[in-house]
Amino acid sequence: MTLSREAFEARLRAIGAERYHDRHPFHQRLHSGGCGEDELRAWVLNRYCYQAAIPRKDAALIARCADPALRRAWRRRLEDHDGPTNDDGWSTNDATGGASAVGGLARWLRLAEAVGLDQRYVASEVGALPAVRFAVEAYVRFVAERSLLEAVASSLTELFAPKIHRERIAGLLAHYAFATDETLAYFSHRLTEAPRDVAFGLDYVLTCADTAERQEAAVNALIFKTEVLWAQLDAIQAAYAPGGAIPPGAWRPGQGLIGEATR
């Protein structure tokens, strides 16, 4: 049975209430000040692997769009993360978040520096957990290979993002010395970027999912995306929480710090 537009939206939103990663124990410890320095660094480093994949995911989606209006709307997301282009056509972002870099990736690298990590080491992704890599690449492949409706629907975790960003800003500022308005700029910018993006994406999904089968496909796509986010935190917690087991090749405390040789 095909749901009404209102009932379908309510079903999508219910997925966030049940499955979004703000419910994960790692995030609850992070926001309440329960994470140690190395856990913070592990989270920042591994989350960069996901952040860096977002523009690749968005570019894959744009490459499939025959509709110029959809391409125009979606390519704003590339600039949000990579930074705007200058007069020569080059991005003002750079690999290490320099002074001229203004995109989300550069802001994340400034966060990495604030917790003591070398930006180039983080940007290399050499220390990312295998499970994080697998989850991130599964998301990129999903967007590149599934229907356009499913690809757009998978982005709708942004419906739930402002809440977690507000909680994160408040929690980090309250509990961690590295946290300032400047070092947390990635999250404050997403408070305005994500609602803009999701307004377009939600309308697209609600309009295009016009049969029961398409609605079910969109629901499953959003569930898949929540699992991608949850799986990353499972991996970080399993490796870096007290008593965790760090897999071979992944970042170990003491590696990749500012002023230290990266290994």
Side-chain angles (χ1 to χ4, degrees), residues 10-92:
R11 187 176 180 194
L12 293 172
R13 291 184 180 276
I15 292 169
E18 179 184 357
R19 294 173 175 265
Y20 194 53
H21 64 164
D22 62 335
R23 299 172 60 87
H24 196 284
F26 183 89
H27 266 168
Q28 293 174 359
R29 287 198 305 113
L30 175 69
H31 297 166
S32 64
C35 285
E37 183 177 63
D38 289 330
E39 288 179 273
L40 280 167
R41 289 171 174 164
W43 172 67
V44 171
L45 183 149
N46 279 278
R47 177 76 182 198
Y48 180 84
C49 189
Y50 170 74
Q51 301 300 145
I54 292 175
R56 294 196 288 118
K57 174 269 297 185
D58 288 331
L61 190 150
I62 290 170
R64 305 176 57 201
C65 294
D67 181 0
L70 180 54
R71 292 199 300 268
R72 283 195 299 270
W74 213 266
R75 70 177 180 236
R76 292 182 304 187
R77 298 169 182 246
L78 292 176
E79 291 203 348
D80 286 346
H81 284 83
D82 286 342
T85 55
N86 59 26
D87 292 340
D88 296 324
W90 292 94
S91 172
T92 57

Side-chain angles (χ1 to χ4, degrees), residues 16 18 38 40 60 70 72 84 104-105 108 128 163 168 179 195 213 230 250:
E18 179 184 357
D38 289 330
L40 280 167
L70 180 54
R72 283 195 299 270
L105 289 181
W108 195 271
K163 176 178 179 289
R168 184 171 294 150
E213 292 76 16
W230 195 279

